[in-house]
Amino acid sequence: MALETIYDTPRGKHVISIDQWRREAVETLFDQAQRVAWMYNEQNGMRPILLDWLRGKAMVDVFFEPSTRTSTSFAQGERFLGGIVENVTGVKFSSVSKGESLKDTVRAFNCYSDLLVMRHTKAGALAEAAEVSRTPVINAGDGTGEHPTQALLDGFTMKQRFGGLDGLHIGFVGDLVNGRTVHSLARLMSLFDDVKISYVAPDQLQMPKGLRSKLEAAGVEQSRYSRLGKKLLGDVDVLYVTRIQKERFEGKKAQNEYEKLKHYFVIDSKVMARAKDDMILMHPLPRVGEITEAVDDDKRASYFKQMRNGFFVRMALAAAVLERPFTVSAVRDEMRVQSGKMV
Ligand code: NCD
């Protein structure tokens, strides 16, 4: 299946990079995710509710790198929608460990599924997989490359809080060179108007120049900092903190470097006291000391909300990619059937 470069809708398409998405496609997905979230709203007393939007569809979710949230939210979301799900984790128990090529591995999964969700160690691997795949492929993280579904759930979380993404000032903090979540989220932000991005990282972990140039061409106002200063903290609407990506520091020398950098930024209550009252603090998780637990009770801490939203966004995305009906009336009908009452 050809890898489409830019689309208005992900229906029947691969999801490899945020570069493929137009603003309209993102907004439609947010609306659909909002419907799923509504369905799961505890106040409706309807949780968990099973829909059949993926009934008769088979998915293979393959994770060649560790994952907690992405793999579980995809698999559970697909199951909740009635899909047949196979979860493959680790290289060790697949034929990849025998030396099989990525392309042949994809061809094998194609025989048993309608959708392939894959996480791989190598940047660019998912584009390669998409080239040969006969079914849509969703990138669940390709090395230091991208993590488009994380960016979509991050954007959705911002939309819930601010009503939209236009005009937001976002501060990215941490490992911006290796962190794939920020590579996708910066791209996503560039689809919106009057967005400002501040990159806060030591020199060696700064946002790659190629990506900065691309965003500059898209008209995004960008600045770089090596410290999280008071002025910047008092201005951002979103502070997006990331983990220093230990697994990307290969070799003894690099590991020593990691040890020096791992606690370069720590967000604690003192830091949060200098941030705006109506800002939000985000993190894709897992955190390994970048945000202290004391901050969790702060009303601005939004990382657990992101985690939950991942479930809704990935359900909406799987249904959209597989071209399943996804309407409010379908939700209402289903709720009526499930509850025996009108809603
Ligand atoms: C991120 C990832 O895998 O890139 N985790 C996630 O999917 N939520 C972030 C990270 O590992 O630091």
Side-chain angles (χ1 to χ4, degrees):
M1 226 177 94
L3 180 59
E4 292 226 12
T5 45
I6 300 180
Y7 44 63
D8 295 320
T9 165
R11 290 171 74 81
K13 310 276 165 59
H14 297 301
V15 180
I16 305 302
S17 164
I18 290 293
D19 283 340
Q20 297 168 289
W21 289 65
R22 278 193 217 283
R23 177 183 177 138
E24 293 67 30
V26 173
E27 285 180 338
T28 306
L29 183 78
F30 287 173
D31 289 346
Q32 290 166 336
Q34 191 50 45
R35 286 173 199 158
V36 181
W38 173 82
M39 199 170 81
Y40 276 83
N41 182 347
E42 268 118 293
Q43 264 124 56
N44 292 334
M46 299 295 298
R47 194 176 62 97
I49 183 169
L50 292 159
L51 295 176
D52 65 353
W53 297 337
L54 295 181
R55 185 168 299 155
K57 293 285 179 182
M59 282 119 251
V60 177
D61 298 346
V62 187
F63 286 80
F64 289 145
E65 264 193 355
S67 174
T68 299
R69 277 149 287 269
T70 311
S71 61
T72 315
S73 60
F74 259 120
Q76 287 297 77
E78 290 157 351
R79 286 190 190 107
F80 271 63
L81 294 178
I84 303 156
V85 184
E86 172 67 356
N87 224 320
V88 180
T89 49
V91 170
K92 206 171 154 201
F93 298 106
S94 86
S95 285
V96 172
S97 67
K98 301 178 186 169
E100 186 172 57
S101 75
L102 174 64
K103 287 182 176 170
D104 280 358
T105 302
V106 169
R107 288 183 183 110
F109 291 135
N110 278 173
C111 298
Y112 327 116
S113 61
D114 303 296
L115 174 67
L116 179 59
V117 175
M118 187 185 266
R119 171 169 288 187
H120 201 280
T121 51
K122 213 175 74 196
L126 268 292
E128 199 186 309
E131 262 174 49
V132 293
S133 183
R134 284 189 285 108
T135 72
V137 175
I138 298 180
N139 180 359
D142 60 331
T144 58
E146 277 205 60
H147 195 347
T149 66
Q150 178 72 39
L152 291 165
L153 75 90
D154 292 338
F156 178 66
T157 306
M158 288 183 223
K159 160 126 199 230
Q160 275 188 334
R161 172 63 188 79
F162 298 106
L165 274 62
D166 290 327
L168 291 181
H169 179 189
I170 181 165
F172 285 123
V173 178
D175 190 348
L176 312 185
V177 70
N178 297 307
R180 55 192 170 205
T181 67
V182 289
H183 298 165
S184 286
L185 185 54
R187 286 174 160 96
L188 186 92
M189 299 304 294
S190 76
L191 299 176
F192 294 85
D193 298 331
D194 304 320
V195 164
K196 222 163 105 180
I197 307 184
S198 296
Y199 304 115
V200 190
D203 273 356
Q204 62 273 49
L205 300 182
Q206 263 296 351
M207 191 58 114
K209 192 162 179 284
L211 187 49
R212 278 188 282 122
S213 310
K214 195 178 189 121
L215 265 64
E216 197 179 316
V220 181
E221 188 184 331
Q222 305 171 88
S223 321
R224 275 180 295 159
Y225 302 87
S226 55
R227 290 272 160 204
L228 190 51
K230 211 170 156 179
K231 192 157 166 265
L232 178 63
L233 248 174
D235 194 61
V236 291
D237 302 301
V238 178
L239 192 65
Y240 192 99
V241 181
T242 61
R243 169 179 75 89
I244 311 294
Q245 308 277 300
K246 184 171 193 252
E247 64 275 36
R248 312 294 175 211
F249 291 74
E250 277 176 281
K252 205 162 164 47
K253 211 168 137 219
Q255 276 298 322
N256 290 341
E257 175 86 349
Y258 168 76
E259 289 302 321
K260 272 189 250 151
L261 293 168
K262 68 178 179 190
H263 293 141
Y264 197 86
F265 297 106
V266 176
I267 310 298
D268 57 15
S269 306
K270 273 209 315 251
V271 175
M272 290 304 285
R274 292 190 220 119
K276 287 200 288 198
D277 224 36
D278 57 355
M279 57 80 78
I280 56 172
L281 176 65
M282 299 179 72
H283 192 304
L285 303 175
R287 62 175 156 181
V288 284
E290 311 82 51
I291 300 178
T292 64
E293 283 189 18
V295 175
D296 296 355
D297 294 329
D298 191 307
K299 70 173 187 351
R300 298 167 293 180
S302 303
Y303 28 93
F304 298 138
K305 188 173 266 172
Q306 280 168 266
M307 195 158 80
R308 181 85 173 137
N309 280 341
F311 188 45
F312 306 141
V313 168
R314 289 180 175 123
M315 276 197 260
L317 183 65
V321 167
L322 286 173
E323 307 182 72
R324 304 302 284 176
F326 210 112
T327 60
V328 175
S329 63
V331 176
R332 284 183 194 278
D333 287 351
E334 188 62 30
M335 288 186 77
R336 205 166 42 225
V337 171
Q338 300 253 343
S339 69
K341 63 175 194 229
M342 286 293 290
V343 286

